[in-house]
Amino acid sequence: MKLFNGMTVENNELAISGVTVSELRRKYGTPLYVYDENMLENQCDTFISNFKSEKFKTEVLYASKAFSCLEVLRMANRAGLGVDVVSLGEIHTAYKAGYDMSKAYFHGNNKTREELKYAIEVGLGTIVIDNDYEYEMINDLAKESKKTVDVLLRINTGIDAHTHEYIKTAKDDSKFGYSVYDETIFDLIADINGQSNLNFLGFHSHIGSQIFEKSSFYEAAKVVMEFSRRVEEELRLTIKVLNLGGGFGVYYTDEDKPFELGEFLQEYIKVIETESENFGLELEKVVIEPGRSLTCNAGSTLYTVGGVKKTFAGREYIFVDGGMADNPRYALYKAKYEAALANKINADENTVYTVAGKCCESGDMLVMDTKLPKAEQGDLLIVPSTGAYNYSMSSNYNRLPKLPVVFVKDGTSRLVIKGETLEDLIRQDI
Ligand code: LLP
């Protein structure tokens, strides 16, 4: 297992930012999500200090769908990041965390009237329009509230980077945004731009997640800018803001080869500067919105080993006290993770195990075929890189309570989300 910055070994035992795993178990129990706060802060710093330009303002948003809770949002706010929100719940969490809501961008392909109303009430900075149905609702609500609302339009560049390489297609089936190849988009933009209660600023584009090809981002930025130029010429308006989305790939296992973030961000800025000049754009602001790359590697999940079982077919399982309810990513995407026995971190890794959860579902796996030391009941098993899309996608399947979340920093730990109790599980039942 790769040891990330902040992970150290003391007496054969793993410590995260100076707090040993046995201390964490003693204080909070398992299963448990643990975040290294220094790593979270450093990632924020890397984005803020490298995504900078002298030609236009820049803004980095935290895509809070990766992991939304009051404390992580307080931290992102302190670090100077804006925030990307996609639901009433995410808006509410950011608002209650004291976020400067003028730095919030509201995304989603089917925002409800209730969500939009709340967004306008709390002074949410920019609404990203996905489609014409939504546009009319936003316009009505802006008129009703007698406010002017800043809006971007989400466009679809046809660059599909999910497969780790881009393919440009004129016919794009994505449920998100409006295709730049659909000529009716010009009428929509003219219409939005003509509304007195809407302040049309520019476009948003997000090409996918966990992308390792720098060129996918550069190509998408270029298509967005080329399109912006066409819109400026045909509709005689000025594009001031571009939000180019997130999606920067991270390390889960040694199959993943992420680019060096700081270096990439500086290169990305250069590409945007050059292309905006080539297309004659006078951009006021360029925005990006990372989620996974801010929080993923900072978070780990700590489990206690229960049974260890060899099947008739020969597979050796380690059963842990959590599983797909706290990390559904194997079940959903066949996502790969590393693992280690955190209380035997230096021991010889001589046995091949499959780490399985405790849910009643055959697909409830965490890590397939990984080499670990001989495991025994009571060992502490760690799965790193669970800091994004784990807590936020966790469920109560099998009526398992949601796990607590702890932040550690320089030898101290603190609870930032309490674990659910049995009473919490039946609270809404009638
Ligand atoms: N902006 C928009 C409009 C997005 O839809 C997303 C992610 C992001 C930014 C942040 O992307 P990131 O930097 O985190 O890659 N549940 C999946 C990931 C879904 C991502 C959805 N959108 C997973 O567990 O891998």
Side-chain angles (χ1 to χ4, degrees), residues 154-159 172-174 176-181 204:
R154 179 161 183 171
I155 54 171
N156 196 334
T157 55
I159 294 189
D172 199 321
D173 269 346
S174 166
F176 295 108
Y178 219 98
S179 171
V180 294
Y181 304 101
H204 167 261

Side-chain angles (χ1 to χ4, degrees), residues 63 65 84 107 154 204 206 208-210 245-248 289-293 329 333 389 393:
K65 62 192 75 108
D84 148 3
H107 290 293
R154 179 161 183 171
H204 167 261
H206 170 77
S209 202
Q210 186 63 350
F248 317 120
E289 45 191 21
R292 190 190 316 266
S293 49
R329 295 191 71 259
Y333 317 118
Y389 304 110
M393 295 208 301

